[in-house]
C-alpha cells in the first residue's frame, strides 16, 4: 500500500475527469481542479454522466459509484486544491505554454513532498521537469481513454526521477485498478501512442485528401485486423480537440496534414467533437460501426 491517499487532478476535461473518478472509485480522496467555476461544473457533470459506463462496462453497483462520488471535491482555487496533496496528476491541455505555466505555479503552491505526474500524451517528462522545482519527484503517468475499461497506465521518468518515487507511482497505478506499463527510458508517445499515432495520421491523411471516407477507412481496418474500432471511432473517443492539438503540434508545418486539420476544425466549430458531444464521425450512443452490418459488403 502506498502512502498516496490524497490526489489532486488538474484539468477536469476528457481524461482528467476519468482519472479523478477512477481514483475516487478505488478509494482515494480526490480534488478536481480546473481553471474557473464553469470548467469545474463541466468536470463534475462529465463525472456524474459516467454512471452508465461504469454500470455497463465493469458491472459497478450504484453504491460503489456513489461512494466514488463522495470521495471527490471540486475547486477552481489552485492553492486550495494542492495544499495537502500527496500526488498531483496533471491533465491540462496538450499545449506546452499552458503546461509550463501550470507547473511553475504549481511548484510554488504544492508542499515540497508532493509528487507531480503528467498525463501528457506527447511530451516526455524532461520537457517540464525544470518547471516543477522537484525533478526527482516528477514523471509521466499516462492513461488511455476510458480508464475504467482500457486500464493501461504508462509510467515514464527522466534521468532525475527518484527510483523510489517511480516505484510508488507504479504501485499507485495498481491501487486504482490500472495495469502499469513501465518504460525504461523516455520515448515520445510511450508504447501506446508510438503505435497509435502513425495509424491516426495515416487515417487523417486519407480522409483529408478525399482518398476514402471515414467509414471506409474504419471498415478496412476493422475487417482486415479484427479490431473492434477503426481510427475514426478512436478519434471520437479521444475527442477532436485533443486530436487537433496533437496533429497541429506535430504536423502543423506539414502541408500534407492541412486538409485534415481544416476538416476537424470545422467539426470542432460545430461542436461535433466525438462521444463527449454525442456526435463526431459517428452518432452516440450506438455508433454505426458497432452495427454488425457495418462490416458486411
Ligand atoms: P480537454 O481539453 O478535454 O481537457 C483539458 C481540461 O484542462 C479542461 O477542463 C480545461 O478547462 C482545463 N484547463 C485548461 N487550462 C488549465 C490550467 N491552466 N489549469 C488547470 N486546468 C486547465 O483535454 P484532454 O483530452 O482531457 O487532455 C488533457 C491531457 O490528457 C493532455 O495532456 C492529453 O495529451 C492527455 N491525454 C488525453 C487523452 C485523450 O484521449 N483525450 C488520452 C491520454 C492522455
Amino acid at each position: 500500500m502506498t502512502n498516496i491517499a490524497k490526489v489532486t487532478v488538474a484539468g477536469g476535461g476528457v481524461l482528467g475527469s476519468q482519472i479523478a473518478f477512477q481514483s475516487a472509485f478505488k478509494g482515494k480522496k480526490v480534488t478536481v481542479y480546473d481553471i474557473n467555476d464553469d470548467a469545474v461544473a463541466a468536470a463534475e457533470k462529465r463525472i456524474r454522466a459516467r454512471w452508465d459506463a461504469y454500470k455497463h462496462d465493469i458491472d459497478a453497483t450504484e453504491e460503489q459509484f456513489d461512494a466514488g462520488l463522495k470521495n471527490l471535491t471540486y475547486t477552481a482555487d489552485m492553492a486550495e486544491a494542492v495544499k495537502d496533496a500527496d500526488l498531483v496528476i496533471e491533465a491540462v491541455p496538450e499545449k506546452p505554454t499552458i503546461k509550463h505555466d501550470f507547473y511553475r505555479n504549481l511548484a510554488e503552491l504544492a508542499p515540497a513532498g508532493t509528487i507531480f505526474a503528467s498525463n501528457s500524451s506527447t511530451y516526455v517528462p524532461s520537457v517540464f521537469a525544470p518547471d516543477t522545482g522537484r525533478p526527482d519527484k516528477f514523471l509521466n503517468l499516462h492513461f488511455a481513454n476510458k480508464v475504467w475499461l482500457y486500464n493501461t497506465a504508462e509510467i515514464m521518468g527522466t534521468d532525475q526521477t527518484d527510483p523510489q518515487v517511480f516505484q510508488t507511482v507504479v504501485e499507485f497505478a495498481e491501487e486504482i485498478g490500472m495495469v502499469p506499463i513501465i518504460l525504461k527510458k523516455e520515448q515520445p508517445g510511450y508504447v501506446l501512442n508510438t503505435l497509435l499515432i502513425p495509424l491516426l495520421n495515416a487515417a487523417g491523411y486519407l480522409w483529408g485528401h478525399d482518398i476514402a471516407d471515414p467509414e471506409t477507412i474504419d471498415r478496412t481496418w476493422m475487417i482486415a485486423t479484427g479490431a473492434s474500432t477503426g481510427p475514426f471511432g478512436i478519434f471520437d473517443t479521444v475527442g477532436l480537440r485533443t486530436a487537433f492539438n496533437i496533429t497541429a503540434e506535430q504536423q502543423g508545418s506539414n502541408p500534407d496534414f492541412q486538409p485534415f486539420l481544416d476538416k476537424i476544425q470545422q467539426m470542432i466549430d460545430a461542436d461535433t467533437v466525438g462521444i463527449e458531444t454525442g456526435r463526431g464521425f459517428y452518432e452516440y450512443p450506438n455508433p454505426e460501426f458497432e452495427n454488425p452490418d457495418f462490416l458486411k459488403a
Side-chain angles (χ1 to χ4, degrees):
M1 195 57 186
T2 66
N3 54 7
I4 296 177
K6 292 187 178 170
V7 179
T8 296
V9 176
V14 173
L15 250 285
S17 64
Q18 297 183 18
I19 299 164
F21 184 74
Q22 179 66 23
S23 304
F25 182 71
K26 291 288 181 178
K28 303 294 181 185
K29 294 286 176 206
V30 180
T31 301
V32 180
Y33 161 69
D34 211 307
I35 34 172
N36 55 41
D37 289 343
D38 285 350
V40 166
E44 182 166 4
K45 200 170 157 207
R46 275 190 194 98
I47 288 174
R48 290 186 176 273
R50 261 188 213 113
W51 158 235
D52 280 345
Y54 270 72
K55 183 171 77 168
H56 176 265
D57 293 343
I58 60 164
D59 289 328
T61 65
E62 205 163 352
E63 292 70 38
Q64 289 169 328
F65 192 83
D66 287 348
L69 292 179
K70 290 201 179 81
N71 283 333
L72 288 161
T73 50
Y74 299 86
T75 180
D77 178 340
M78 195 202 253
E80 178 64 26
V82 303
K83 66 175 197 281
D84 53 6
D86 300 313
L87 170 67
V88 175
I89 302 174
E90 170 269 307
V92 309
E94 193 69 348
K95 292 196 174 155
T97 49
I98 295 181
K99 291 197 194 277
H100 282 300
D101 286 349
F102 170 82
Y103 282 113
R104 283 177 201 141
N105 292 336
L106 180 66
E108 304 214 335
L109 295 173
T114 306
I115 298 171
F116 298 168
S118 176
N119 183 47
S120 172
S121 295
T122 52
Y123 298 100
V124 295
S126 55
V127 173
F128 303 112
D131 302 316
T132 64
R134 63 198 71 201
D136 57 322
K137 296 192 190 69
F138 177 62
L139 41 56
N140 281 14
L141 172 62
H142 181 243
F143 295 84
N145 206 327
K146 298 195 182 178
V147 299
W148 60 92
L149 191 60
Y150 304 138
N151 58 337
T152 55
E154 297 181 283
I155 299 153
M156 174 163 79
T158 71
D159 291 348
Q160 292 171 282
T161 308
D162 178 341
Q164 189 53 50
V165 168
F166 191 99
Q167 184 55 30
T168 299
V169 173
V170 168
E171 287 168 27
F172 166 78
E174 287 177 5
E175 285 171 1
I176 63 163
M178 299 295 112
V179 176
I181 308 292
I182 291 168
L183 278 90
K184 296 193 269 184
K185 51 177 88 163
E186 288 192 306
Q187 162 66 17
Y190 311 79
V191 175
L192 177 62
N193 282 335
T194 301
L195 296 166
L196 185 59
I197 287 183
L199 173 74
L200 297 182
N201 278 343
Y205 178 90
L206 289 167
W207 177 55
H209 290 264
D210 268 335
I211 295 162
D213 60 36
E215 293 78 11
T216 303
I217 296 164
D218 278 4
R219 293 172 83 219
T220 310
W221 186 252
M222 291 166 70
I223 294 169
T225 68
S228 59
T229 316
F232 290 92
I234 296 173
F235 277 129
D236 279 352
T237 307
V238 170
L240 294 192
R241 284 189 305 265
T242 293
F244 183 94
N245 289 341
I246 293 172
T247 311
E249 196 67 36
Q250 294 186 341
Q251 305 289 350
S253 58
N254 181 346
D256 277 351
F257 285 88
Q258 201 52 51
F260 173 59
L261 286 171
D262 291 345
K263 283 179 164 181
I264 49 175
Q265 182 64 61
Q266 284 175 15
M267 292 176 71
I268 292 168
D269 292 344
D271 207 28
T272 52
V273 300
I275 293 176
E276 203 195 340
T277 53
R279 197 165 161 204
F281 290 99
Y282 299 92
E283 290 189 21
Y284 299 86
N286 307 321
E288 186 55 21
F289 66 80
E290 286 180 358
N291 179 343
D293 287 345
F294 187 73
L295 301 183
K296 293 191 181 141

